[in-house]
Amino acid sequence: MANTKRLCTLVLRLMAVAATLAAAVVMATSHERSNVLGLSFEAKYNHTPAFRYFVIANAIVTVYGFLVLFLPSKSQLWRLVVALDMVLTMLLTSGISAALAIGSVGRHGNSYAGWLPICGQVPKYCDQVKGALIASFVGLLIYAVLLLYAIHNVLDPLLLHKT
């Protein structure tokens, strides 16, 4: 039974690492050049601080998730992992929120500020940003499940295990 739990946790952590790594790579490689009314411009992730933050947050969560894979199952550090899972889940949430806000402005514009949508001019770029957001959101859902499982398993909030 313990091996099954460890295997499930390992598979979920591998899926989370894959999702956050994919999100960081897809966002970091997103760029497209376009001409509008004779003016050339390039849409690139590093032109927007929110997208840079998104890539950095996903990279940090990816490295953390990879390192936790090598932690022994009987280690006392699993209590620290619960706290770090919480912190990094919130980091991932904030990165997704920041990128989603800018992505929404890019897709729909903002009529009050006079900002026009850009996704009509750079559809490949917008599709890559959307793909990165979806991958990161999948990673967030997996980390949320891992966090709930870790709280239940490591901290035993309902005191179900006898000491």
Side-chain angles (χ1 to χ4, degrees):
M1 186 68 172
N3 287 337
T4 306
K5 288 182 180 181
R6 176 73 176 152
L7 183 64
C8 288
T9 304
L10 181 69
V11 168
L12 282 174
R13 287 202 182 271
L14 281 172
M15 289 171 42
V17 166
T20 54
L21 178 64
V25 169
V26 168
M27 183 67 87
T29 60
S30 64
H31 67 285
E32 186 175 2
R33 187 174 293 279
S34 180
N35 290 320
V36 177
L37 301 173
L39 298 172
S40 177
F41 73 95
E42 183 178 25
K44 205 171 182 185
Y45 92 96
N46 64 352
H47 293 166
T48 309
F51 288 167
R52 278 186 295 207
Y53 177 67
F54 176 85
V55 170
I56 291 169
N58 275 284
I60 289 169
V61 171
T62 298
V63 170
Y64 164 76
F66 182 73
L67 291 176
V68 169
L69 291 174
F70 298 105
L71 194 62
S73 61
K74 300 294 182 189
S75 175
Q76 289 297 317
L77 291 175
W78 280 104
R79 290 183 184 268
L80 178 62
V81 168
V82 174
L84 289 175
D85 276 354
M86 178 61 136
V87 169
L88 291 172
T89 301
M90 293 301 108
L91 176 68
L92 197 56
T93 302
S94 67
I96 293 169
S97 299
L100 193 59
I102 297 302
S104 177
V105 171
R107 180 165 299 281
H108 303 293
N110 186 335
S111 60
Y112 298 110
W115 297 335
L116 298 174
I118 66 160
C119 285
Q121 288 77 32
V122 285
K124 179 184 161 212
Y125 173 74
C126 288
D127 289 342
Q128 282 186 290
V129 169
K130 182 171 55 173
L133 285 167
I134 290 169
S136 189
F137 190 72
V138 167
L140 174 66
L141 291 176
I142 294 170
Y143 269 107
V145 168
L146 281 168
L147 179 63
L148 292 173
Y149 177 75
I151 288 171
H152 173 71
N153 196 35
V154 174
L155 299 180
D156 194 22
L158 301 176
L159 302 172
L160 297 175
H161 299 282
K162 299 201 189 254
T163 56

